[in-house]
Amino acid sequence: MFLARRLVLAHFWVAFAAFTVAILLGEWQMFVRSPLYSWVNNPEHYYRSVTAHGTVMAYVFPTLVAMGFGYAIAELALKRPLIGLRWAWAGFCMVMAGTLMASAPIAVGKASVLYTFYPPMIGSPFYYLGVVLVVVGSWVWVALMAINLRAWKRDNPGKSVPLSMFGNVAGAYLWAWTSVGAAIEIIFLILPVALGFKDTIDAGLARVFFSWTLHAIVYFWLMPSYIAFYTIVPRAIGGRLYSDTMGRIAFVLFLVFSMPIGIHHLFADPQVGAGFKFVHAVFTAMVSVPTLLTVFTIVASVEIAARLRGGKGLFGWVKALPWGNATMLAVTFSFIMLGFGGAGGLINMSYQLNETIHNTQWVTGHFHLIFAGAIVIMYFVVAYDLWPQLTRCLPLPTRLMQAQLWLWFVGMMILTMPWHWVGLLGMPRRMAYFDYTHPALQPQAWTVVAGTIGGLLLVLSTLLFVFILARARRSEATPAPYTFSTPLHMPVTTPVALNGFGLWVAMMIGLTLVNYGFPIAQLAMLKETSVPAIAIGGT
């Protein structure tokens, strides 16, 4: 019996409702910045929209998906009722309350500071308190995932933790630690100013604390997608997982390497020394290792599915893949976008090459391909795969799912590829408008029009996605027991290091303290580094 079914559904529906609003805001931003529309004459409206879009996409949407998916995994993989169901509902209510609290000042123009906060700009304290409440609600989920895993291991001594739960708890621990940076920034640096106790802020120190969160949060977003890669995709396409061990290694490597890398976002900031910038660049390169391991493992798993279907030859097996299967289509699109986005990320992490594309539209194209492209398309897969369990519906319509995934992939490619191009030409990001009648800018106007068209396809894809879920036909029959992917060769025993997190959490915390400790201590001890705060829309 799936006791957490309503809890998971609540998380998913709120997540996808917020996601729909954010997608509409994103398309509005593309449209009003393009030559297709006469500018609304108030740039603040644009930044208000960008703040809402970013806050939902960075904090609310992925957090609710990770929490909902995590609760489902805790019951379905461990095959036992979720411990702490009431606490889980309390955490969900905190996230909801925080979302509403942060949304109100954004809507009235008192918090147009973008989701990265951008001190010395200071918005309404209710915006920051809302974000904090969202994070605290998510920490309830972190605690419950740890408690449920510990209870299962106590009752099943010596057994291997199911891979889906292993990845789930890895993601929870990663989020618990990476959110600390932004929490410190808000509580100790921003809120005292927002509440009127101070009128200056150390913007440089605040940016370093946010960099603690800024890049590692991407891997928190990514974890549900990688869990889907390993534990849903092989089963959904009729195959086997190539290696259970490889999945565990990938998850723990994300814990170790995704934290001490955020200063590569501060290459252009003078307050951090060149030595630590270089160290963070090196560690950023190491994050590619678990991604490459995953690509190899999932491609091998896909090949197994094809050969089980009769695929022959060196490449002939590709034809035997179940291309009519929506999950097969989604993982293919995800890997294509991950490839393009990851290649762009190699430029961002380079201490030298970053100078060419820093703060340009290239960066926007890169992170949209990674998050909105490779990651979000797998969130769709998670929802599609779990929906019969959550709603007891009949199988979802395959052709509509395929159409929705195609719209998302094509729309994302049309949206992001021109951004990479104009980024190389030097177009800055986060500009409210451009005068495309200027001879120097006119040749670039087509890129914003293309982005508007791509955004429209994403809107259509989102609406179709919500329609498919909302119109799922109910069935009186009890759904078949839910299963995760089975490894091709189930290991007889799992190494202790790959069946728990003590070693990896210690390494994660240790590397973070080493890579951030000195820069933070140095900046904190410097005198006269604070600058006057700039109130946005009044407080």
Side-chain angles (χ1 to χ4, degrees):
M1 181 177 253
F2 196 176
L3 297 180
R5 182 173 63 88
R6 291 183 179 178
L7 174 71
V8 177
L9 264 177
H11 281 77
F12 279 4
W13 270 127
V14 174
F16 293 129
F19 174 72
T20 303
V21 173
I23 286 291
L24 292 172
L25 289 174
E27 172 62 359
W28 179 83
Q29 293 158 28
M30 294 302 302
F31 179 63
V32 299
R33 292 173 74 245
S34 75
L36 300 173
Y37 187 78
S38 177
W39 179 243
V40 295
N41 296 323
N42 190 345
E44 198 279 333
H45 289 166
Y46 172 79
Y47 292 110
R48 193 183 303 186
S49 174
V50 173
T51 301
H53 176 84
T55 300
V56 168
M57 291 301 200
Y59 303 126
V60 179
F61 171 57
T63 299
L64 285 170
V65 170
M67 290 171 68
F69 191 28
Y71 290 134
I73 289 171
E75 276 211 10
L76 298 173
L78 300 184
K79 296 181 172 55
R80 53 194 290 162
L82 178 71
I83 299 173
L85 186 59
R86 290 184 178 179
W87 280 103
W89 277 110
F92 171 73
C93 291
M94 288 183 195
V95 175
M96 288 286 292
T99 301
L100 295 174
M101 185 183 294
S103 299
I106 295 174
V108 298
K110 293 187 176 182
S112 299
V113 295
L114 313 189
Y115 87 93
T116 46
F117 309 145
Y118 269 92
M121 294 194 300
I122 298 293
S124 165
F126 292 103
Y127 171 69
Y128 305 109
L129 290 171
V131 172
V132 168
L133 200 53
V134 169
V135 173
V136 172
S138 71
W139 285 349
V140 174
W141 165 71
V142 173
L144 289 178
M145 292 304 94
I147 290 169
N148 277 268
L149 177 61
R150 183 173 181 177
W152 183 89
K153 293 184 74 171
R154 182 192 62 226
D155 296 338
N156 296 271
K159 290 188 177 181
S160 297
V161 176
L163 181 60
S164 55
M165 189 62 182
F166 189 81
N168 180 33
V169 176
Y173 286 156
L174 174 60
W175 172 239
W177 186 237
T178 190
S179 59
V180 168
I184 293 174
E185 180 195 14
I186 291 175
I187 294 170
F188 295 104
L189 295 173
I190 292 179
L191 273 178
V193 182
L195 292 170
F197 300 126
K198 294 178 61 180
D199 57 8
T200 62
I201 184 169
D202 190 335
L205 181 60
R207 284 173 61 78
V208 171
F209 272 117
F210 192 79
S211 75
W212 176 315
T213 297
L214 182 56
H215 201 84
I217 196 174
V218 175
Y219 300 100
F220 165 62
W221 299 340
L222 176 148
M223 278 297 194
S225 298
Y226 271 55
I227 294 171
F229 286 151
Y230 283 102
T231 67
I232 291 179
V233 170
R235 182 261 299 154
I237 64 174
R240 296 287 188 90
L241 175 63
Y242 176 73
S243 172
D244 177 273
T245 302
M246 201 78 82
R248 294 172 190 271
I249 292 173
F251 289 133
V252 297
L253 288 183
F254 276 127
L255 273 179
V256 174
F257 291 126
S258 63
M259 277 302 309
I261 65 177
I263 287 178
H264 80 257
H265 286 275
L266 306 181
F267 281 159
D269 286 30
Q271 77 273 7
V272 180
F276 274 94
K277 290 177 181 177
F278 175 75
V279 169
H280 279 243
V282 171
F283 275 93
T284 305
M286 295 302 295
V287 179
S288 63
V289 175
T291 296
L292 293 173
L293 289 177
T294 298
V295 170
F296 172 82
T297 304
I298 301 309
V299 170
S301 303
V302 166
E303 181 181 352
I304 290 169
R307 295 198 182 278
L308 288 174
R309 292 168 59 90
K312 305 291 183 181
L314 186 60
F315 298 108
W317 57 269
V318 176
K319 295 181 180 179
L321 288 170
W323 292 110
N325 185 299
T327 302
M328 183 69 242
L329 201 60
V331 73
T332 302
F333 291 157
S334 182
F335 274 21
I336 292 172
M337 291 185 283
L338 184 65
F340 280 113
L346 295 177
I347 307 300
N348 299 349
M349 60 152 245
S350 168
Y351 199 6
Q352 294 77 24
L353 294 177
N354 178 73
E355 291 298 318
T356 304
I357 50 84
H358 175 73
N359 222 23
T360 69
Q361 283 293 102
W362 172 284
V363 180
T364 313
H366 159 69
F367 72 72
H368 275 78
L369 263 182
I370 293 293
F371 174 64
I375 294 175
V376 169
I377 204 168
M378 295 308 296
Y379 286 4
F380 297 150
V381 167
V382 169
Y384 285 150
D385 197 68
L386 284 174
W387 216 246
Q389 293 289 326
L390 297 175
T391 66
R392 297 172 181 156
C393 67
L394 296 171
L396 299 175
T398 301
R399 290 189 178 181
L400 283 182
M401 288 192 291
Q402 288 178 318
Q404 186 265 324
L405 296 171
W406 269 106
L407 282 170
W408 190 260
F409 173 69
V410 174
M412 192 56 62
M413 298 301 284
I414 293 174
L415 177 74
T416 58
M417 288 304 159
W419 281 346
H420 285 83
W421 170 248
V422 292
L424 291 175
L425 298 179
M427 179 186 284
R429 62 176 175 148
R430 290 173 170 165
M431 295 294 290
Y433 60 90
F434 296 94
D435 181 8
Y436 288 109
T437 63
H438 192 286
L441 296 180
Q442 197 170 27
Q444 300 177 15
W446 71 268
T447 63
V448 191
V449 175
T452 305
I453 296 170
L456 178 59
L457 294 179
L458 296 178
V459 169
L460 295 175
S461 176
T462 300
L463 296 177
L464 182 55
F465 171 70
V466 173
F467 174 81
I468 292 170
L469 297 185
R471 292 298 299 272
R473 295 172 58 190
R474 300 266 307 184
S475 171
E476 298 300 326
T478 302
Y482 189 87
T483 60
F484 293 95
S485 300
T486 304
L488 182 64
H489 300 291
M490 180 65 75
V492 178
T493 58
T494 300
V496 174
L498 295 180
N499 206 38
F501 296 98
L503 171 65
W504 312 110
V505 169
M507 291 179 67
M508 175 182 71
I509 295 174
L511 279 173
T512 305
L513 295 179
V514 169
N515 282 20
Y516 275 100
F518 182 79
I520 289 174
Q522 183 184 42
L523 289 173
M525 289 187 294
L526 289 176
K527 297 180 180 180
E528 300 178 357
T529 55
S530 295
V531 296
I534 302 170
I536 300 298
T539 57

